[in-house]
Amino acid sequence: MTPLIFIALALAGGIGTAARMLLDGIIKSRVSSGIPWGTIVINVSGSLVLGLLTGLASDQILPESWHLVIGTGFLGGYTTFSTASFETVRLIQERRWALSLFNCLGTLVLATAAAGLGLWIGGLI
């Protein structure tokens, strides 16, 4: 990895984190629910984009350096497994069993399906 790629990756991670905070705030201000929709939307959309990037990189349409910077940097900062885990535990502590199960399994299924869809679309292009 070149120093330029390393710097771009770090900057992209910071931008991804800021994008996550912004989008989560927008969703929380518009949706009043026990379900952490912001985190779900962020993780599912990040999985979709990562699948798409991976499909494009696999077919050598997207240079590997861009795949690294956007996929690892931006999307690494944008998506958040730890917040999803924390929110699931919080729901369990509140004894909101159905919501915690939906948050845990729903996010896993939706994010995995989104990644597969993105990979499939990336392979078509």
Side-chain angles (χ1 to χ4, degrees):
M1 177 182 334
T2 68
L4 182 60
I5 296 292
F6 180 80
I7 291 168
L9 198 145
L11 289 172
I15 293 168
T17 301
R20 176 184 73 224
M21 296 287 293
L22 179 66
L23 181 58
D24 188 48
I26 290 169
I27 292 171
K28 281 182 180 177
S29 72
R30 289 174 167 71
V31 178
S32 177
S33 172
I35 298 172
W37 286 112
T39 303
I40 293 170
V41 167
I42 287 163
N43 285 333
V44 171
S45 63
S47 295
L48 175 69
V49 174
L50 184 58
L52 177 64
L53 290 174
T54 302
L56 294 173
S58 294
D59 290 342
Q60 298 178 341
I61 295 169
L62 181 72
E64 186 56 34
S65 58
W66 281 97
H67 184 227
L68 181 65
V69 169
I70 298 169
T72 302
F74 179 80
L75 293 173
Y78 176 71
T79 59
T80 175
F81 179 77
S82 58
T83 301
S85 299
F86 170 79
E87 289 170 341
T88 299
V89 170
R90 182 184 50 79
L91 289 168
I92 291 169
Q93 288 174 330
E94 294 172 0
R95 300 182 190 278
R96 299 172 89 179
W97 310 116
L99 291 181
S100 66
L101 187 63
F102 172 77
N103 190 55
C104 179
L105 295 179
T107 299
L108 175 65
V109 169
L110 291 172
T112 302
L117 177 64
L119 188 62
W120 177 72
I121 292 170
L124 293 176
I125 298 176

